Amino acid sequence: MMKFSLKIKICLIFTLAFYTICLHATSHAQSLHLKYSEESHQGPIYALATSKDQQWVYSVGNDGLLKVWDIKDGSLKKSIFLPSLQSKNANKLFSISVSTKTDQIAVGGNFKSTNKKNLVFILSKNLSMDSTPLEVNEIVTHTLFSDFHDILAVGTARGLEIFDSHLHQRIATIPTKNQITGILEINADSWAVADAGGNLRIYNQKWESIRHVKLPFKSGIGSIALSPDQKQIAVSAIAEPMIEVLSIDTLSTSKKLNFNKIDNGDLSSLAWTNDGSLYASGSFDFKGKTPLIKWYGRNLEKRQLASLSNSRTNQLKALKNSDILFSTYGPSWGRYSNSGKLNYLNLPNTLDSKNSFIAVDESDNNIKLNIFLTKKQLTLDFNTLSLSALTLNSPLKIDVPSLPVQLNGSFVLNSKKYPLAKGENVTAITTNTAKTVTFIASDFGLRAISQEGKQLWSRPTTSTARGLDLAPKHHMLFSLESDGVIRTYDMRTGALILNLLINKKTEEWLAHTPSSQFIGSANSGSMMSWVKTNSLEKIATAYDIKQFRHQYYK
């Protein structure tokens, strides 16, 4: 029996366009929250940290989960849901830091499921809640414990907030006009802080700015890294292949690193290892994969290029032995050896959006969704609710529609320009049979544009769409997205209808609506969980869907 009193009635209807579940709970209905519980993250991994002894790797990301991994082989050891008080909006975790003094863990992000949206949770080594979460004024982008003092520095979308990490009291608030993109503790007396406006500042122990430089980056600063001798700091641009190495004492540029013929992409992360090597990675396209660029030698005069994964890299983290940890939008993470070997790459069991594509077969009475993997075809029949698999003798070659021309922060369609946000690129395109509406996917969203050039609708997405196809008779737009989920939208309005999760190894599948109604294959019950919490002071408790199905589904 479960530990809390809950009476549930489930009524399930599945049609081509929608299905419904009626859920009734006698108490705490607002605290039930549907979450993925696959071994991998569901969505981008935004930040990594290691335990004090570097035995464990901690990861957080778009799904609001904190996961603990064995650093030796990448195996999952524990996964927890941070508290959420309502059920409609997921939490997003953007930062994590571990104290080298106390092993405390600080996790920050945007907690839409709480009334207090911007929080930093302080956890103990055993992942229990240490205190009431710290409230901050803006979305948290960075957290960093001091190695020398009882200080926790929190970077946000609009400045710095400094807390006593022992008493959990605010010490200082330092507003900025731009998002904080990097925080480093240089020594016991000084910190380096970078922002998206291109500013790099050095603060003393009293949090007074003692040195400042504005870098000549059009897109602002994306990442910073400290040299092992603590005399230099490397600074990268957000959306340009540019890195400058500056002297800590003067903030004057001592070296500009050479990218040769690489002329696009962004640098989302830097790491400087104990052997003196400087690593950079981001969203460069190198033979279809994201490269890791290594500068080494006495004056960083040598360069090597290696591919890590087929998904944009979010963060690099240097280990004591000069190895590198990296996380991706994939969502995956891995460990790269300082000898140039990929030790392991932790890949999710969900679909790989860059090596997969979707195609819809539609009739008046049915939809069959085909998912093509490297040497396998999966077909989900909406009438029979069955998933079949077919082995392909060789990888299928397809003609992908050409993407529109992209110039100076915009794309061109039918001779008309449409704006793109900073760092945004068009990723997929499809058109209805009558050629009257074109659907465009980009890094940050979807939009529908009429033949006359009118934007019919636009909506943000939680991850990047890599493939699109239509079921026009049923007004459905299918989107294969970079977090491995196939999402279905109403092609008339852009409203999200359905999320489809497929385990490519076990071929189990589970579909759910934005309101948490669900259906799936016979053994899909462990792919998602109900999460229960009553307080911000307690870690949430997760219950696999299969527990509800076995006890309450008729």
Side-chain angles (χ1 to χ4, degrees):
M1 298 294 293
M2 287 184 289
K3 295 181 180 179
F4 60 97
S5 175
L6 188 64
K7 182 180 179 182
I8 293 181
K9 180 183 178 183
I10 297 178
C11 307
L12 190 59
I13 302 169
F14 189 92
T15 69
L16 288 172
F18 70 96
Y19 50 81
T20 304
I21 284 182
C22 304
L23 180 66
H24 174 70
T26 56
S27 63
H28 304 306
Q30 77 283 358
S31 65
L32 290 174
H33 194 42
L34 198 58
K35 282 286 190 178
Y36 296 103
S37 55
E38 284 256 306
E39 278 205 356
S40 61
H41 278 278
Q42 191 62 37
I45 300 173
Y46 289 130
L48 298 172
T50 58
S51 58
K52 182 179 177 180
D53 58 9
Q54 296 209 339
Q55 181 180 359
W56 311 112
V57 176
Y58 303 101
S59 62
V60 295
N62 193 68
D63 55 5
L65 291 173
L66 167 60
K67 291 181 178 288
V68 186
W69 315 81
D70 190 321
I71 200 170
K72 293 180 181 178
D73 59 11
S75 59
L76 180 67
K77 296 302 178 184
K78 195 169 185 179
S79 181
I80 67 168
F81 299 90
L82 291 175
S84 56
L85 300 182
Q86 298 174 13
S87 62
K88 290 186 178 180
N89 297 303
N91 301 329
K92 293 184 180 182
L93 307 181
F94 296 119
S95 67
I96 185 167
S97 175
V98 178
S99 170
T100 58
K101 297 177 65 181
T102 64
D103 268 327
Q104 284 181 304
I105 303 166
V107 181
N110 182 225
F111 293 83
K112 294 182 179 180
S113 56
T114 70
N115 294 324
K116 304 169 182 177
K117 290 187 177 181
N118 305 303
L119 301 172
V120 177
F121 284 89
I122 307 296
L123 309 178
S124 65
K125 184 179 180 179
N126 64 3
L127 301 184
S128 62
M129 205 71 83
D130 251 12
S131 69
T132 302
L134 305 176
E135 291 184 45
V136 295
N137 296 320
E138 298 285 346
I139 294 175
V140 178
T141 61
H142 288 76
T143 52
L144 185 64
F145 282 104
S146 168
D147 290 334
F148 306 97
H149 312 286
D150 291 332
I151 294 291
L152 173 64
V154 178
T156 74
R158 286 293 183 268
L160 277 172
E161 300 189 35
I162 313 302
F163 294 87
D164 184 310
S165 59
H166 177 65
L167 300 175
H168 303 143
Q169 295 176 349
R170 191 189 310 271
I171 297 172
T173 299
I174 306 168
T176 62
K177 293 181 180 180
N178 301 284
Q179 174 181 313
I180 300 300
T181 55
I183 306 175
L184 295 173
E185 187 175 34
I186 300 170
N187 50 45
D189 300 316
S190 58
W191 298 68
V193 179
D195 67 40
N199 299 290
L200 177 65
R201 292 182 172 88
I202 306 298
Y203 291 91
N204 61 19
Q205 193 175 340
K206 296 180 180 180
W207 292 99
E208 301 166 331
S209 177
I210 56 176
R211 286 188 294 281
H212 168 243
V213 66
K214 186 174 178 65
L215 277 296
F217 300 154
K218 295 178 181 178
S219 55
I221 296 174
S223 182
I224 54 178
L226 186 65
S227 65
D229 61 7
Q230 300 174 342
K231 293 182 179 180
Q232 298 183 98
I233 187 168
V235 183
S236 69
I238 293 178
E240 306 158 76
M242 297 176 66
I243 294 178
E244 293 195 12
V245 180
L246 287 73
S247 164
I248 290 290
D249 292 336
T250 63
L251 293 187
S252 58
T253 299
S254 60
K255 190 175 184 64
K256 294 183 179 181
L257 296 179
N258 178 23
F259 280 81
N260 291 344
K261 296 181 179 180
I262 299 176
D263 59 3
N264 54 38
D266 67 79
L267 290 165
S268 55
S269 190
L270 297 174
W272 215 325
T273 55
N274 287 334
D275 64 358
S277 300
L278 177 63
Y279 293 84
S281 191
S283 63
F284 294 106
D285 188 12
F286 173 65
K287 296 181 179 179
K289 294 189 175 183
T290 299
L292 180 72
I293 307 171
K294 174 183 177 181
W295 284 272
Y296 63 103
R298 185 173 180 180
N299 296 309
L300 301 176
E301 73 272 9
K302 299 179 181 179
R303 192 184 78 164
Q304 289 180 343
L305 193 66
S307 59
L308 286 179
S309 69
N310 56 11
S311 181
R312 170 180 172 172
T313 304
N314 277 331
Q315 187 181 44
L316 300 177
K317 183 170 181 61
L319 300 178
K320 293 176 182 177
N321 66 350
S322 296
D323 282 4
I324 291 288
L325 295 178
F326 62 92
S327 67
T328 78
Y329 264 63
S332 61
W333 71 276
R335 181 172 176 175
Y336 185 82
S337 169
N338 63 347
S339 62
K341 176 185 176 184
L342 185 63
N343 287 346
Y344 56 77
L345 177 61
N346 184 291
L347 291 169
N349 290 329
T350 47
L351 302 176
D352 179 350
S353 64
K354 275 201 171 181
N355 291 326
S356 310
F357 73 95
I358 56 175
V360 177
D361 291 334
E362 183 187 29
S363 65
D364 290 337
N365 301 315
N366 195 17
I367 295 175
K368 290 185 179 180
L369 177 63
N370 301 294
I371 303 102
F372 295 93
L373 310 177
T374 304
K375 288 190 176 182
K376 183 188 290 187
Q377 176 184 342
L378 302 174
T379 300
L380 178 63
D381 189 308
F382 276 48
N383 258 355
T384 62
L385 296 181
S386 61
L387 184 73
S388 59
L390 177 66
T391 300
L392 304 176
N393 294 326
S394 60
L396 196 64
K397 296 181 179 180
I398 60 165
D399 293 324
V400 178
S402 299
L403 299 180
V405 174
Q406 300 174 64
L407 295 169
N408 300 323
S410 64
F411 67 90
V412 180
L413 184 66
N414 296 329
S415 302
K416 186 174 180 178
K417 282 188 177 182
Y418 298 87
L420 292 168
K422 183 183 292 185
E424 184 180 19
N425 295 290
V426 173
T427 56
I429 185 172
T430 190
T431 305
N432 65 353
T433 306
K435 307 293 184 183
T436 55
V437 181
T438 299
F439 299 89
I440 299 284
S442 67
D443 290 312
F444 306 144
L446 291 168
R447 65 185 90 185
I449 299 173
S450 70
Q451 189 177 31
E452 295 76 26
K454 180 182 178 181
Q455 183 165 288
L456 303 177
W457 54 260
S458 176
R459 62 160 296 133
T461 54
T462 56
S463 57
T464 302
R466 299 290 183 185
L468 300 174
D469 204 4
L470 300 171
K473 294 179 181 179
H474 298 91
H475 309 295
M476 288 181 170
L477 169 65
F478 289 85
S479 172
L480 173 58
E481 302 186 3
S482 59
D483 59 2
V485 179
I486 298 174
R487 293 182 171 88
T488 307
Y489 302 92
D490 187 321
M491 57 186 285
R492 299 165 297 184
T493 64
L496 178 63
I497 300 172
L498 193 69
N499 302 276
L500 176 62
L501 185 67
I502 296 176
N503 187 312
K504 62 187 179 185
K505 292 184 179 180
T506 65
E507 296 171 12
E508 298 292 340
W509 63 275
L510 188 144
H512 71 94
T513 68
S515 57
S516 300
Q517 305 153 9
F518 69 93
I519 194 169
S521 55
N523 298 313
S524 63
S526 61
M527 295 176 73
M528 301 190 79
S529 297
W530 288 105
V531 180
K532 177 180 180 292
T533 182
N534 293 322
S535 169
L536 283 175
E537 284 76 41
K538 293 182 180 180
I539 296 296
T541 305
Y543 302 90
D544 282 354
I545 283 179
K546 62 185 177 184
Q547 297 184 40
F548 292 86
R549 177 173 294 184
H550 292 164
Q551 295 182 43
Y552 302 109
Y553 180 66
K554 303 296 182 183

